[in-house]
Amino acid sequence: MRTIIGNDDAASSREPQDWHAIDWRLVERNVRTTQRRIAKATQECDWRRVKALQRSLTHSFSARALAVRRVTENQGKRTAGVDRALWDTPDLKWKAVSRLKQQRGYRPMPLRRVYIPKSNGKERPLGIPTMFDRAMQALHLLGLEPVAESTSDPNSYGFRKNRSTADAMSQIFVCMSQKASARWVLEADIEGCFDHINHDWLVSQVRMNKTILQRWLKAGVVHKGQLTPTDEGTPQGGIISPTLANVTLNGLESELAAYLDAKLKKTKAAKLKINVIRYADDFVVTGISKEVLETEVRPWIEAFLAKRGLRLSPEKTRVTHIDDGFDFLGWNFRKYRGTMLIKPSRKNVRAFYAKVAEVIKSHRMVKQVVLIEKLNPILRGWAQYHHPVVAKDAFSRLDSLIHWRLQRWARRRHPQKSRKWCYSKYWKHLDDREEFAAARQSKDGTWQLVRLNPLADTAITRHLKVKGDYNPFDPKWEVYGEELRGKRMLQSIGYRKELRSLYLSQSGNCALCGTAITRETGWHDHHIDRRVDGGSDLLSNRVLMHPVCHGRLHAERLSVAKPVPKGT
C-alpha cells in the first residue's frame, strides 16, 4: 500500500519553534497542494485515496497551524465554550497547534447553548463549541471542503468560497428576466434545517472521519447547567456546520434534473425551464407553470428531503407568479410590464431602518462624532449589500428618514435652541451640500472631519457573478479565481483611489505575510513611518496589511519595506 507523506512534516526539525515564526505563505501553499490532490481524487471517485489524503492533511503541521489561526482570528475568537477557555496569546496558540496532534481517542465537549434574536421575534439557538473543538472542526473542514466543492450543485451559493447572496440573485435574474423565461417560482423553506438533519444519513454520506463526525453530532448541549443530548441536527455555531448542511442538500439541483430527464425525456424536460437556485437552506425553483411546480417538482423535493430527516414548511412554501413578485435573501424580484427589477424588500428596509433608529435612540447623549462612528459601519454594510440592485429610490428615501431622525436627536439635546441653530451646529456645508459631520482629533494631534455616509452616495454597480462550475480547488480554475477575487476587491474598495493604487501595487497581497488580501480577511492601511514621527500620507509611506498582521507588526516591533514605485 502506498504511503502518502505530508508536504511539510517530513522532518519535525523543519517546523518553526514559536507562533510568530510560522511562514504563513508556506503553510497556505502546503495545505492548498494537498487540497488540490483531494479534489482531483474526488473527481475521479477514488474514495480510498481521498481518505488517505485527508488523514495526511489533518495530521500535518500546516493544517493544524491554519486551523488554529482561523479560530483565533475570526469573529468568534472572544466567545468561549463550556470550558470558558480562550486562546488569546501567541503561547496558547502555539500550544494548541501541538494539542491538535492528539486525535486518537478525541472526544468533544458539550456545546454551550446561547440564543440570538431572529427578525420574526423568535430566537435562534446556537451551539458554541470549545476553542479546541472549534479548531478540530476547522482542521477536518480543510479536508472536507475540496470534496464538498467538487460534488456541489452548480447553483448552490451559500457558505462556499467566492460565492455569495449576490451570485444567487444574479442567477435568478439570468433564469427569469427574459420574455421567454420561466414565469412561476416555488419559494421553498425548510423547517428547522440545521435542527432536524438525520444523523445516520449524515454519517453515512459525508466523506470524512466518521468516528469524529459521530462524536460531534452526539456531543450534547449545556444550557443553564443542564446537559441535553443531541439526537438529530447539526448545531448552528460550529465551523463545520454550514458545510455539513450544504453536503446534505447537494443533489437537489442535479438529481431533480436527472429525474425530470428520465421521466419526460431531455427535450421535454428542458421546456419546463426548471432551475434550482439555493443559498444554504433557502432555495427557489423556477418553472413554466404552476401545475408543474406543484405536481411534479414539490413532491419530488419533499421525498428528497424526507430521506435526510427534513421537510418543507407548509406556511412558508408557496408558488408565486413573477408579476406578483417574491422575496429572497432580502431582495424583491418582480416583473413590471415585462421588465424584471430587483429591489431591497420592504421587510429588509424596515428592519434596517429600525436598527438605525434604535442606535440613534440609544445614543442620545454621546458626542456627535461617536454617533457618526456608530452609524457609518451599519450604513456602509447595508448599502454595500444592496449596491448591485435597483436601490437608489430606497437609498434616497432612507436618507430622508435618517436625516429626520438626526434632526430630532439634535433638537432633543438643545430643547431651548431653535431648529436653525441646531442645524448650523451639527450640519456642515461641504462639497456644495449640507452634511452631518464633526471634527475629531487623531492620535497624532491633527484634526479630521468625520462625515455620516449617505446611502445615496453608493454607486449602483453590477455584480460579477461567479461561474456555476467554478471549483477553487481545481488548478484549471486558478487564473479565473484570482481574476475574480481581484475584480471584486477593487469593487469593494470602490471610489477610494489611493487604496486601489496600494492594492494594485502590492498585487493584492499583504505587505507582511505575503498572502492574499480579500473582502473576508479585511485590510489595514499602515503607515511605514508613523505620522507622529513625521511620516507623510503619501502612497510611498503606506502599505496594505491584514488587520491581524498589523497587530503582529506592532507587537513584535517588525518593519515592512516601502513599496517600489511603478516604472522603476
Side-chain angles (χ1 to χ4, degrees):
M1 180 178 175
R2 182 181 176 186
T3 303
I4 300 171
I5 302 175
N7 295 319
D8 55 333
D9 287 329
S12 59
S13 61
R14 294 165 58 185
E15 294 182 3
Q17 300 305 307
D18 62 74
W19 179 256
H20 288 314
I22 296 174
D23 183 346
W24 291 109
R25 181 184 292 183
L26 179 62
V27 161
E28 290 195 0
R29 188 179 69 190
N30 289 336
V31 170
R32 191 161 183 82
T33 298
T34 307
Q35 286 179 322
R36 286 175 176 171
R37 296 169 69 189
I38 294 173
K40 182 180 179 182
T42 302
Q43 291 165 354
E44 296 171 352
C45 295
D46 188 349
W47 302 117
R48 186 176 180 181
R49 183 168 175 77
V50 167
K51 184 177 180 180
L53 287 167
Q54 285 179 329
R55 189 182 188 285
S56 171
L57 179 64
T58 54
H59 285 76
S60 69
F61 171 81
S62 290
R64 288 185 282 116
L66 207 57
V68 172
R69 184 183 185 185
R70 175 171 180 176
V71 300
T72 56
E73 294 179 1
N74 61 12
Q75 291 183 348
K77 63 184 178 182
R78 295 186 181 89
T79 305
V82 292
D83 61 353
R84 300 296 175 182
L86 293 176
W87 298 341
D88 50 6
T89 66
D91 185 51
L92 289 174
K93 295 176 186 178
W94 181 249
K95 289 178 180 177
V97 176
S98 298
R99 280 185 64 195
L100 286 178
K101 278 184 179 180
Q102 305 164 7
Q103 298 184 29
R104 186 183 295 273
Y106 161 70
R107 289 194 175 275
M109 296 184 71
L111 307 168
R112 182 167 70 90
R113 174 72 80 206
V114 297
Y115 291 89
I116 59 172
K118 296 172 65 175
S119 58
N120 59 5
K122 298 181 181 180
E123 291 184 321
R124 184 189 305 278
L126 293 183
I128 308 300
T130 64
M131 290 296 292
F132 183 72
D133 292 334
R134 261 179 271 176
M136 190 66 78
Q137 289 188 17
L139 178 62
H140 283 271
L141 181 59
L142 291 172
L144 178 59
E145 271 186 324
V147 179
E149 282 289 340
S150 301
T151 56
S152 288
D153 291 327
N155 293 304
S156 164
Y157 298 101
F159 304 110
R160 296 176 61 189
K161 290 188 176 183
N162 287 334
R163 294 178 186 242
S164 64
T165 54
D167 291 303
M169 174 272 295
S170 301
Q171 181 61 23
I172 293 176
F173 184 84
V174 169
C175 295
M176 303 195 75
S177 61
Q178 300 300 317
K179 187 176 181 180
S181 298
R183 295 176 176 270
W184 292 88
V185 61
L186 172 66
E187 302 174 66
D189 183 87
I190 301 175
E191 196 170 54
C193 178
F194 284 86
D195 300 327
H196 297 109
I197 298 175
N198 184 282
H199 283 183
D200 293 335
W201 187 94
L202 205 57
V203 172
S204 66
Q205 297 297 320
V206 177
R207 299 285 180 175
M208 63 168 289
N209 188 308
K210 298 187 183 301
T211 302
I212 289 180
L213 176 59
Q214 180 83 13
R215 289 174 179 172
W216 282 335
L217 296 174
K218 302 295 185 183
V221 296
V222 173
H223 182 56
K224 295 182 179 178
Q226 297 293 321
L227 176 63
T228 305
T230 47
D231 298 321
E232 60 180 2
T234 173
Q236 297 185 63
I239 287 177
I240 204 170
S241 295
T243 303
L244 294 179
N246 267 339
V247 172
T248 303
L249 297 175
N250 278 344
L252 187 62
E253 179 183 359
S254 56
E255 291 181 25
L256 175 58
Y259 162 76
L260 293 173
D261 288 346
K263 184 176 181 179
L264 305 173
K265 294 186 180 180
K266 199 166 185 178
T267 53
K268 289 185 178 180
K271 293 179 181 179
L272 298 180
K273 298 173 182 175
I274 304 296
N275 297 282
V276 181
I277 301 98
R278 178 167 67 87
Y279 185 88
D281 60 330
D282 294 324
F283 64 94
V284 295
V285 185
T286 68
I288 197 168
S289 69
K290 184 176 183 179
E291 291 72 22
V292 168
L293 293 175
E294 288 184 338
T295 62
E296 293 286 347
V297 174
R298 181 167 179 169
W300 184 90
I301 291 175
E302 289 174 342
F304 175 88
L305 295 176
K307 296 177 184 177
R308 294 150 175 79
L310 305 173
R311 70 188 187 101
L312 293 176
S313 170
E315 300 81 16
K316 298 180 181 179
T317 302
R318 62 181 71 87
V319 178
T320 310
H321 196 277
I322 190 61
D323 289 345
D324 298 325
F326 65 95
D327 290 349
F328 187 61
L329 301 176
W331 291 299
N332 178 261
F333 300 79
R334 185 178 176 184
K335 275 191 175 180
Y336 299 83
R337 296 180 181 179
T339 301
M340 187 171 185
L341 297 182
I342 306 172
K343 303 178 181 180
S345 68
R346 291 183 179 180
K347 180 181 178 181
N348 189 274
V349 170
R350 290 196 191 105
F352 168 72
Y353 179 62
K355 183 178 182 179
V356 172
E358 180 59 31
V359 171
I360 296 173
K361 184 179 178 180
S362 60
H363 291 79
R364 288 171 175 167
M365 302 310 296
V366 301
K367 292 182 179 180
Q368 183 186 10
V369 69
V370 174
L371 178 61
I372 293 173
E373 289 174 343
K374 288 284 185 181
L375 289 174
N376 272 344
I378 300 172
L379 298 176
R380 278 197 300 264
W382 193 80
Q384 187 67 21
Y385 184 83
H386 292 290
H387 84 272
V389 303
V390 184
K392 274 296 183 182
D393 286 345
F395 287 168
S396 298
R397 186 169 66 253
L398 283 166
D399 277 339
S400 297
L401 292 172
I402 293 169
H403 181 80
W404 172 74
R405 282 277 176 184
L406 292 173
Q407 283 187 319
R408 288 186 60 187
W409 176 86
R411 292 294 303 278
R412 188 185 184 281
R413 293 165 69 89
H414 307 282
Q416 304 301 321
K417 298 293 185 179
S418 66
R419 183 185 300 271
K420 184 177 180 181
W421 185 93
C422 291
Y423 199 83
S424 63
K425 178 175 176 61
Y426 293 103
W427 275 263
K428 312 295 182 187
H429 189 75
L430 304 168
D431 299 329
D432 296 327
R433 66 180 184 183
E434 301 298 322
E435 292 196 33
F436 190 73
R440 176 190 61 186
Q441 190 173 18
S442 59
K443 293 180 180 179
D444 58 3
T446 60
W447 287 86
Q448 297 175 329
L449 198 63
V450 181
R451 312 180 184 191
L452 187 74
N453 292 337
L455 296 170
D457 282 1
T458 305
I460 303 299
T461 54
R462 187 174 180 178
H463 177 71
L464 299 170
K465 182 186 173 298
V466 68
K467 293 182 179 179
D469 295 331
Y470 169 68
N471 184 344
F473 301 104
D474 191 334
K476 73 179 183 181
W477 290 99
E478 183 75 22
V479 175
Y480 171 80
E482 289 296 316
E483 290 177 352
L484 182 68
R485 177 179 63 85
K487 289 177 181 177
R488 286 184 173 178
M489 263 300 296
L490 291 174
Q491 202 172 64
S492 295
I493 293 172
Y495 61 88
R496 291 167 283 186
K497 294 181 180 179
E498 293 184 346
L499 290 183
R500 290 173 66 94
S501 297
L502 289 174
Y503 179 81
L504 291 171
S505 68
Q506 296 174 207
S507 301
N509 296 321
C510 172
L512 186 64
C513 71
T515 59
I517 296 174
T518 66
R519 292 186 295 181
E520 290 74 24
T521 62
W523 61 85
H524 182 88
D525 187 358
H526 171 69
H527 287 71
I528 298 171
D529 295 328
R530 299 186 304 173
R531 283 179 291 182
V532 292
D533 296 331
S536 71
D537 275 332
L538 296 175
L539 294 182
S540 58
N541 189 46
R542 292 157 59 188
V543 291
L544 293 182
M545 308 173 66
H546 295 133
V548 291
C549 292
H550 182 253
R552 175 191 167 194
L553 180 138
H554 285 290
E556 298 186 36
R557 298 182 180 180
L558 303 175
S559 61
V560 291
K562 294 183 180 182
V564 179
K566 289 185 178 182
T568 61

